Amino acid sequence: MINVTRLNGKEFVVNTDLIKTIEATPDTVIRLVSEDKYVVRESVDDIISRVISYRRACNAWLNNHIDRADRQREGMDES
């Protein structure tokens, strides 16, 4: 999930898994797979950067938990 800002200044959150397209027309328009459209203040590049950061954080969290589970499983095998 990423935070974005409507043209009126109100912030809201977008589920990055539901983004279908992002385009500059010249305002930035986010289109979801549901075909809902949102016009936002952020640039296309800024949204892409936020999506990448969010997904990196999700992957880091997942890898951390997988590593922890592997270590716990290895500890149980040694007992």
Side-chain angles (χ1 to χ4, degrees), residues 12-14 27 31 36-37 40 42 47 61 65 71:
F12 68 104
V13 179
V14 173
D27 293 324
R31 182 189 308 254
D36 291 339
K37 293 182 188 178
V40 297
E42 291 79 5
I47 293 170
W61 181 88
H65 283 74
R71 286 192 304 272

Side-chain angles (χ1 to χ4, degrees), residues 22-33:
I22 307 165
E23 60 182 307
T25 63
D27 293 324
T28 304
V29 178
I30 300 172
R31 182 189 308 254
L32 304 182
V33 295

Side-chain angles (χ1 to χ4, degrees), residues 12-51:
F12 68 104
V13 179
V14 173
N15 182 335
T16 61
D17 293 329
L18 300 181
I19 295 174
K20 182 176 181 179
T21 62
I22 307 165
E23 60 182 307
T25 63
D27 293 324
T28 304
V29 178
I30 300 172
R31 182 189 308 254
L32 304 182
V33 295
S34 65
E35 298 300 327
D36 291 339
K37 293 182 188 178
Y38 299 98
V39 181
V40 297
R41 290 184 176 182
E42 291 79 5
S43 69
V44 171
D45 290 339
D46 189 29
I47 293 170
I48 291 169
S49 177
R50 290 178 188 195
V51 170

